[in-house]
mmCIF file of all heavy atoms in Angstrom:
data_model
loop_
_atom_site.group_PDB
_atom_site.id
_atom_site.type_symbol
_atom_site.label_atom_id
_atom_site.label_comp_id
_atom_site.label_asym_id
_atom_site.label_seq_id
_atom_site.Cartn_x
_atom_site.Cartn_y
_atom_site.Cartn_z
ATOM 1 N N ASN F 282 109.418 75.251 111.053
ATOM 2 C CA ASN F 282 110.655 74.934 110.348
ATOM 3 C C ASN F 282 110.309 74.123 109.105
ATOM 4 O O ASN F 282 109.779 73.021 109.221
ATOM 5 C CB ASN F 282 111.594 74.149 111.260
ATOM 6 C CG ASN F 282 112.961 73.930 110.648
ATOM 7 O OD1 ASN F 282 113.342 74.627 109.710
ATOM 8 N ND2 ASN F 282 113.703 72.966 111.162
ATOM 9 N N PRO F 283 110.563 74.690 107.902
ATOM 10 C CA PRO F 283 111.224 75.974 107.627
ATOM 11 C C PRO F 283 110.281 77.154 107.876
ATOM 12 O O PRO F 283 109.059 76.986 107.924
ATOM 13 C CB PRO F 283 111.573 75.860 106.148
ATOM 14 C CG PRO F 283 110.504 74.976 105.585
ATOM 15 C CD PRO F 283 110.212 73.965 106.661
ATOM 16 N N ARG F 284 110.878 78.325 108.000
ATOM 17 C CA ARG F 284 110.078 79.520 108.179
ATOM 18 C C ARG F 284 109.356 79.876 106.883
ATOM 19 O O ARG F 284 109.847 79.597 105.796
ATOM 20 C CB ARG F 284 110.983 80.697 108.587
ATOM 21 C CG ARG F 284 111.599 80.553 109.967
ATOM 22 C CD ARG F 284 112.436 81.763 110.298
ATOM 23 N NE ARG F 284 113.032 81.649 111.623
ATOM 24 C CZ ARG F 284 113.813 82.576 112.168
ATOM 25 N NH1 ARG F 284 114.094 83.675 111.494
ATOM 26 N NH2 ARG F 284 114.303 82.398 113.383
ATOM 27 N N PRO F 285 108.194 80.520 106.993
ATOM 28 C CA PRO F 285 107.476 80.949 105.788
ATOM 29 C C PRO F 285 108.325 81.908 104.960
ATOM 30 O O PRO F 285 109.021 82.770 105.509
ATOM 31 C CB PRO F 285 106.232 81.655 106.343
ATOM 32 C CG PRO F 285 106.078 81.122 107.726
ATOM 33 C CD PRO F 285 107.463 80.842 108.226
ATOM 34 N N GLN F 286 108.272 81.748 103.645
ATOM 35 C CA GLN F 286 109.034 82.617 102.756
ATOM 36 C C GLN F 286 108.219 83.877 102.476
ATOM 37 O O GLN F 286 107.529 83.999 101.464
ATOM 38 C CB GLN F 286 109.360 81.875 101.452
ATOM 39 C CG GLN F 286 110.260 80.671 101.640
ATOM 40 C CD GLN F 286 111.606 81.053 102.257
ATOM 41 O OE1 GLN F 286 112.319 81.925 101.748
ATOM 42 N NE2 GLN F 286 111.962 80.399 103.353
ATOM 43 N N VAL F 287 108.280 84.809 103.414
ATOM 44 C CA VAL F 287 107.522 86.048 103.287
ATOM 45 C C VAL F 287 108.317 87.177 103.928
ATOM 46 O O VAL F 287 109.048 86.960 104.907
ATOM 47 C CB VAL F 287 106.132 85.912 103.975
ATOM 48 C CG1 VAL F 287 106.297 85.624 105.463
ATOM 49 C CG2 VAL F 287 105.274 87.152 103.766
ATOM 50 N N ASN F 288 108.211 88.356 103.338
ATOM 51 C CA ASN F 288 108.814 89.549 103.920
ATOM 52 C C ASN F 288 107.969 89.945 105.125
ATOM 53 O O ASN F 288 106.864 90.470 104.970
ATOM 54 C CB ASN F 288 108.847 90.679 102.881
ATOM 55 C CG ASN F 288 109.488 91.958 103.418
ATOM 56 O OD1 ASN F 288 109.425 92.248 104.612
ATOM 57 N ND2 ASN F 288 110.085 92.725 102.532
ATOM 58 N N PHE F 289 108.476 89.694 106.331
ATOM 59 C CA PHE F 289 107.650 89.892 107.522
ATOM 60 C C PHE F 289 107.298 91.360 107.736
ATOM 61 O O PHE F 289 106.204 91.681 108.213
ATOM 62 C CB PHE F 289 108.346 89.347 108.774
ATOM 63 C CG PHE F 289 107.501 89.483 110.016
ATOM 64 C CD1 PHE F 289 106.430 88.629 110.240
ATOM 65 C CD2 PHE F 289 107.743 90.483 110.939
ATOM 66 C CE1 PHE F 289 105.621 88.768 111.365
ATOM 67 C CE2 PHE F 289 106.946 90.625 112.070
ATOM 68 C CZ PHE F 289 105.883 89.764 112.275
ATOM 69 N N VAL F 290 108.201 92.263 107.382
ATOM 70 C CA VAL F 290 107.902 93.692 107.556
ATOM 71 C C VAL F 290 106.705 94.087 106.698
ATOM 72 O O VAL F 290 105.798 94.789 107.146
ATOM 73 C CB VAL F 290 109.137 94.552 107.191
ATOM 74 C CG1 VAL F 290 108.788 96.042 107.252
ATOM 75 C CG2 VAL F 290 110.295 94.245 108.123
ATOM 76 N N GLU F 291 106.684 93.594 105.461
ATOM 77 C CA GLU F 291 105.556 93.911 104.586
ATOM 78 C C GLU F 291 104.282 93.192 105.048
ATOM 79 O O GLU F 291 103.188 93.753 105.018
ATOM 80 C CB GLU F 291 105.886 93.526 103.147
ATOM 81 C CG GLU F 291 104.777 93.902 102.197
ATOM 82 C CD GLU F 291 105.191 93.920 100.741
ATOM 83 O OE1 GLU F 291 106.279 93.407 100.415
ATOM 84 O OE2 GLU F 291 104.409 94.439 99.941
ATOM 85 N N TRP F 292 104.441 91.933 105.444
ATOM 86 C CA TRP F 292 103.300 91.177 105.991
ATOM 87 C C TRP F 292 102.670 91.938 107.153
ATOM 88 O O TRP F 292 101.451 92.122 107.220
ATOM 89 C CB TRP F 292 103.773 89.799 106.440
ATOM 90 C CG TRP F 292 102.817 89.037 107.303
ATOM 91 C CD1 TRP F 292 102.647 89.179 108.657
ATOM 92 C CD2 TRP F 292 101.873 88.037 106.898
ATOM 93 N NE1 TRP F 292 101.675 88.317 109.115
ATOM 94 C CE2 TRP F 292 101.183 87.606 108.051
ATOM 95 C CE3 TRP F 292 101.569 87.452 105.675
ATOM 96 C CZ2 TRP F 292 100.208 86.619 108.030
ATOM 97 C CZ3 TRP F 292 100.582 86.465 105.644
ATOM 98 C CH2 TRP F 292 99.909 86.056 106.798
ATOM 99 N N ASP F 293 103.502 92.389 108.078
ATOM 100 C CA ASP F 293 102.992 93.097 109.250
ATOM 101 C C ASP F 293 102.356 94.426 108.858
ATOM 102 O O ASP F 293 101.402 94.870 109.494
ATOM 103 C CB ASP F 293 104.121 93.324 110.262
ATOM 104 C CG ASP F 293 103.628 93.961 111.548
ATOM 105 O OD1 ASP F 293 102.657 93.435 112.135
ATOM 106 O OD2 ASP F 293 104.186 94.988 111.955
ATOM 107 N N GLY F 294 102.885 95.065 107.808
ATOM 108 C CA GLY F 294 102.272 96.300 107.333
ATOM 109 C C GLY F 294 100.842 96.081 106.879
ATOM 110 O O GLY F 294 99.937 96.873 107.189
ATOM 111 N N LEU F 295 100.606 94.985 106.154
ATOM 112 C CA LEU F 295 99.250 94.652 105.717
ATOM 113 C C LEU F 295 98.363 94.295 106.906
ATOM 114 O O LEU F 295 97.236 94.797 107.030
ATOM 115 C CB LEU F 295 99.301 93.485 104.730
ATOM 116 C CG LEU F 295 97.947 92.852 104.361
ATOM 117 C CD1 LEU F 295 97.076 93.864 103.627
ATOM 118 C CD2 LEU F 295 98.153 91.591 103.530
ATOM 119 N N VAL F 296 98.860 93.435 107.781
ATOM 120 C CA VAL F 296 98.055 92.977 108.924
ATOM 121 C C VAL F 296 97.734 94.143 109.851
ATOM 122 O O VAL F 296 96.604 94.257 110.364
ATOM 123 C CB VAL F 296 98.793 91.854 109.677
ATOM 124 C CG1 VAL F 296 98.041 91.480 110.949
ATOM 125 C CG2 VAL F 296 98.953 90.627 108.780
ATOM 126 N N ARG F 297 98.704 95.010 110.081
ATOM 127 C CA ARG F 297 98.475 96.182 110.944
ATOM 128 C C ARG F 297 97.340 97.043 110.370
ATOM 129 O O ARG F 297 96.460 97.508 111.095
ATOM 130 C CB ARG F 297 99.758 97.005 111.054
ATOM 131 C CG ARG F 297 99.642 98.228 111.981
ATOM 132 C CD ARG F 297 100.817 99.159 111.746
ATOM 133 N NE ARG F 297 102.081 98.529 112.042
ATOM 134 C CZ ARG F 297 102.686 98.588 113.229
ATOM 135 N NH1 ARG F 297 102.123 99.260 114.221
ATOM 136 N NH2 ARG F 297 103.852 98.008 113.413
ATOM 137 N N LEU F 298 97.381 97.253 109.058
ATOM 138 C CA LEU F 298 96.355 98.057 108.400
ATOM 139 C C LEU F 298 94.976 97.398 108.529
ATOM 140 O O LEU F 298 93.981 98.048 108.865
ATOM 141 C CB LEU F 298 96.710 98.237 106.922
ATOM 142 C CG LEU F 298 95.739 99.048 106.058
ATOM 143 C CD1 LEU F 298 95.610 100.468 106.593
ATOM 144 C CD2 LEU F 298 96.229 99.070 104.620
ATOM 145 N N CYS F 299 94.925 96.105 108.297
ATOM 146 C CA CYS F 299 93.647 95.385 108.352
ATOM 147 C C CYS F 299 93.050 95.358 109.752
ATOM 148 O O CYS F 299 91.829 95.464 109.927
ATOM 149 C CB CYS F 299 93.835 93.958 107.836
ATOM 150 S SG CYS F 299 94.152 93.844 106.062
ATOM 151 N N PHE F 300 93.900 95.223 110.783
ATOM 152 C CA PHE F 300 93.378 95.108 112.148
ATOM 153 C C PHE F 300 93.204 96.459 112.821
ATOM 154 O O PHE F 300 92.794 96.523 113.983
ATOM 155 C CB PHE F 300 94.276 94.190 112.978
ATOM 156 C CG PHE F 300 93.932 92.735 112.810
ATOM 157 C CD1 PHE F 300 94.566 91.972 111.851
ATOM 158 C CD2 PHE F 300 92.943 92.140 113.579
ATOM 159 C CE1 PHE F 300 94.241 90.638 111.664
ATOM 160 C CE2 PHE F 300 92.603 90.813 113.405
ATOM 161 C CZ PHE F 300 93.255 90.047 112.437
ATOM 162 N N GLY F 301 93.497 97.536 112.090
ATOM 163 C CA GLY F 301 93.181 98.852 112.632
ATOM 164 C C GLY F 301 91.679 99.010 112.830
ATOM 165 O O GLY F 301 91.216 99.694 113.741
ATOM 166 N N ARG F 302 90.917 98.336 111.943
ATOM 167 C CA ARG F 302 89.444 98.299 112.075
ATOM 168 C C ARG F 302 89.004 96.888 111.681
ATOM 169 O O ARG F 302 88.418 96.675 110.623
ATOM 170 C CB ARG F 302 88.800 99.348 111.168
ATOM 171 C CG ARG F 302 89.170 100.789 111.509
ATOM 172 C CD ARG F 302 88.342 101.783 110.720
ATOM 173 N NE ARG F 302 88.548 101.650 109.276
ATOM 174 C CZ ARG F 302 87.752 102.197 108.360
ATOM 175 N NH1 ARG F 302 86.668 102.863 108.740
ATOM 176 N NH2 ARG F 302 88.017 102.056 107.074
ATOM 177 N N LYS F 303 89.274 95.948 112.556
ATOM 178 C CA LYS F 303 89.178 94.537 112.173
ATOM 179 C C LYS F 303 87.763 94.064 111.865
ATOM 180 O O LYS F 303 87.586 93.048 111.207
ATOM 181 C CB LYS F 303 89.799 93.653 113.259
ATOM 182 C CG LYS F 303 88.998 93.545 114.552
ATOM 183 C CD LYS F 303 89.644 92.533 115.489
ATOM 184 C CE LYS F 303 88.817 92.300 116.737
ATOM 185 N NZ LYS F 303 89.409 91.256 117.608
ATOM 186 N N ASN F 304 86.737 94.786 112.349
ATOM 187 C CA ASN F 304 85.368 94.358 112.100
ATOM 188 C C ASN F 304 84.727 95.079 110.915
ATOM 189 O O ASN F 304 83.552 94.847 110.606
ATOM 190 C CB ASN F 304 84.515 94.549 113.358
ATOM 191 C CG ASN F 304 84.912 93.580 114.460
ATOM 192 O OD1 ASN F 304 85.129 92.397 114.206
ATOM 193 N ND2 ASN F 304 85.046 94.083 115.679
ATOM 194 N N LYS F 305 85.481 95.948 110.252
ATOM 195 C CA LYS F 305 85.024 96.564 109.015
ATOM 196 C C LYS F 305 85.347 95.630 107.845
ATOM 197 O O LYS F 305 86.252 94.792 107.927
ATOM 198 C CB LYS F 305 85.724 97.905 108.799
ATOM 199 C CG LYS F 305 85.397 98.967 109.840
ATOM 200 C CD LYS F 305 83.984 99.496 109.672
ATOM 201 C CE LYS F 305 83.702 100.649 110.619
ATOM 202 N NZ LYS F 305 82.326 101.182 110.450
ATOM 203 N N THR F 306 84.628 95.780 106.740
ATOM 204 C CA THR F 306 84.964 94.992 105.561
ATOM 205 C C THR F 306 86.265 95.507 104.964
ATOM 206 O O THR F 306 86.634 96.678 105.150
ATOM 207 C CB THR F 306 83.862 95.086 104.495
ATOM 208 O OG1 THR F 306 83.781 96.441 104.017
ATOM 209 C CG2 THR F 306 82.515 94.642 105.061
ATOM 210 N N LEU F 307 86.974 94.652 104.258
ATOM 211 C CA LEU F 307 88.213 95.090 103.619
ATOM 212 C C LEU F 307 87.935 96.183 102.597
ATOM 213 O O LEU F 307 88.762 97.090 102.397
ATOM 214 C CB LEU F 307 88.907 93.902 102.945
ATOM 215 C CG LEU F 307 89.444 92.809 103.873
ATOM 216 C CD1 LEU F 307 90.269 91.796 103.079
ATOM 217 C CD2 LEU F 307 90.278 93.383 105.004
ATOM 218 N N ASN F 308 86.783 96.124 101.934
ATOM 219 C CA ASN F 308 86.425 97.155 100.980
ATOM 220 C C ASN F 308 86.348 98.519 101.669
ATOM 221 O O ASN F 308 86.820 99.525 101.137
ATOM 222 C CB ASN F 308 85.081 96.821 100.330
ATOM 223 C CG ASN F 308 84.798 97.688 99.122
ATOM 224 O OD1 ASN F 308 85.611 97.783 98.211
ATOM 225 N ND2 ASN F 308 83.638 98.338 99.119
ATOM 226 N N ALA F 309 85.794 98.551 102.879
ATOM 227 C CA ALA F 309 85.695 99.800 103.630
ATOM 228 C C ALA F 309 87.071 100.264 104.112
ATOM 229 O O ALA F 309 87.396 101.456 104.062
ATOM 230 C CB ALA F 309 84.755 99.622 104.822
ATOM 231 N N ILE F 310 87.903 99.339 104.543
ATOM 232 C CA ILE F 310 89.236 99.693 105.045
ATOM 233 C C ILE F 310 90.103 100.290 103.943
ATOM 234 O O ILE F 310 90.761 101.319 104.125
ATOM 235 C CB ILE F 310 89.921 98.454 105.649
ATOM 236 C CG1 ILE F 310 89.208 98.010 106.926
ATOM 237 C CG2 ILE F 310 91.401 98.726 105.930
ATOM 238 C CD1 ILE F 310 89.707 96.687 107.491
ATOM 239 N N PHE F 311 90.084 99.651 102.766
ATOM 240 C CA PHE F 311 90.998 100.062 101.698
ATOM 241 C C PHE F 311 90.448 101.182 100.821
ATOM 242 O O PHE F 311 91.117 101.595 99.878
ATOM 243 C CB PHE F 311 91.371 98.850 100.842
ATOM 244 C CG PHE F 311 92.374 97.946 101.488
ATOM 245 C CD1 PHE F 311 91.971 96.837 102.216
ATOM 246 C CD2 PHE F 311 93.731 98.213 101.401
ATOM 247 C CE1 PHE F 311 92.897 96.006 102.824
ATOM 248 C CE2 PHE F 311 94.660 97.401 102.012
ATOM 249 C CZ PHE F 311 94.246 96.291 102.727
ATOM 250 N N ASN F 312 89.263 101.687 101.129
ATOM 251 C CA ASN F 312 88.698 102.768 100.329
ATOM 252 C C ASN F 312 88.674 104.103 101.062
ATOM 253 O O ASN F 312 88.063 105.054 100.590
ATOM 254 C CB ASN F 312 87.284 102.412 99.861
ATOM 255 C CG ASN F 312 87.303 101.700 98.522
ATOM 256 O OD1 ASN F 312 87.635 102.291 97.493
ATOM 257 N ND2 ASN F 312 86.975 100.424 98.533
ATOM 258 N N THR F 313 89.350 104.180 102.192
ATOM 259 C CA THR F 313 89.474 105.478 102.862
ATOM 260 C C THR F 313 90.524 106.318 102.141
ATOM 261 O O THR F 313 91.459 105.787 101.532
ATOM 262 C CB THR F 313 89.884 105.310 104.335
ATOM 263 O OG1 THR F 313 91.182 104.727 104.394
ATOM 264 C CG2 THR F 313 88.891 104.419 105.080
ATOM 265 N N LYS F 314 90.386 107.618 102.205
ATOM 266 C CA LYS F 314 91.308 108.513 101.509
ATOM 267 C C LYS F 314 92.748 108.325 101.993
ATOM 268 O O LYS F 314 93.696 108.347 101.197
ATOM 269 C CB LYS F 314 90.874 109.964 101.712
ATOM 270 C CG LYS F 314 89.587 110.335 100.994
ATOM 271 C CD LYS F 314 89.261 111.817 101.197
ATOM 272 C CE LYS F 314 87.981 112.190 100.432
ATOM 273 N NZ LYS F 314 87.640 113.633 100.624
ATOM 274 N N LEU F 315 92.902 108.141 103.303
ATOM 275 C CA LEU F 315 94.237 108.006 103.869
ATOM 276 C C LEU F 315 94.932 106.750 103.354
ATOM 277 O O LEU F 315 96.107 106.788 102.966
ATOM 278 C CB LEU F 315 94.151 107.965 105.401
ATOM 279 C CG LEU F 315 95.483 107.962 106.160
ATOM 280 C CD1 LEU F 315 96.249 109.251 105.872
ATOM 281 C CD2 LEU F 315 95.237 107.811 107.660
#
């Protein structure tokens, strides 16, 4: 309290993507074609 000023849906979209392969580097995660 107060709650963080962040769009939680978008936050979760980023976190979900990152933890799909949590032990890969971010460079590897964000450079896939998909």
Side-chain angles (χ1 to χ4, degrees):
N282 187 18
R284 292 182 180 180
Q286 296 300 306
V287 61
N288 181 330
F289 182 76
V290 175
E291 183 163 13
W292 166 278
D293 184 52
L295 170 64
V296 174
R297 182 195 299 268
L298 179 61
C299 290
F300 275 92
R302 297 189 299 165
K303 72 174 185 177
N304 291 316
K305 295 288 186 179
T306 65
L307 294 188
N308 192 53
I310 292 173
F311 283 95
N312 270 292
T313 64
K314 290 183 178 180
L315 186 62

